[in-house]
Amino acid sequence: MLMLGECILSLLLVTEHVSDVNRNNRIAFYMTFLPALLTANCLQFSGYAYEVWTTDDHVMHQSLGGGAIWIILRVIYYGSTLATGVGLRVSLKNYDQEPDVEYAWLLFGAQVKAVLYT
């Protein structure tokens, strides 16, 4: 969840340069900013919804093999949330341009992995 917090913080830090932009570009900026913020929040809520909060039900408490698989999946999940944050920030910084194919695939792939591994 720390990576998602960093993602939201980096999205909010990009907004400090919006006051220098004219009105039409400001509307385009916020039309990109709001879905990016909603994407990060939905990813955060889905991560919290599937988290186990009692120690008796957690996989690390039940078996060693399951705990090892859980740790590997968490590393993949954290990497995908970090890549989601990078993709959202890049798409927000370049809101007035055509998106690069590499960053679009990075954002799409990271979001798919994050949703699959929650």
Side-chain angles (χ1 to χ4, degrees), residues 27-82:
I27 291 171
F29 175 81
Y30 283 115
M31 291 300 286
T32 307
F33 173 73
L34 291 176
L37 193 62
L38 286 174
T39 300
N41 282 334
C42 287
L43 197 58
Q44 177 187 8
F45 291 141
S46 70
Y48 275 125
Y50 295 112
E51 191 70 31
V52 176
W53 297 103
T54 60
T55 57
D56 293 335
D57 296 334
H58 202 276
V59 71
M60 298 274 293
H61 187 67
Q62 293 178 359
S63 70
L64 183 63
I69 292 172
W70 183 83
I71 288 174
I72 292 169
L73 291 177
R74 285 285 105 178
V75 169
I76 294 170
Y77 174 70
Y78 295 149
S80 64
T81 55
L82 189 62

Side-chain angles (χ1 to χ4, degrees), residues 7 39 43 79-89 106-107 110-111 114:
C7 171
T39 300
L43 197 58
S80 64
T81 55
L82 189 62
T84 300
V86 170
L88 289 175
R89 173 118 188 208
L106 171 74
L107 182 59
Q111 288 178 351

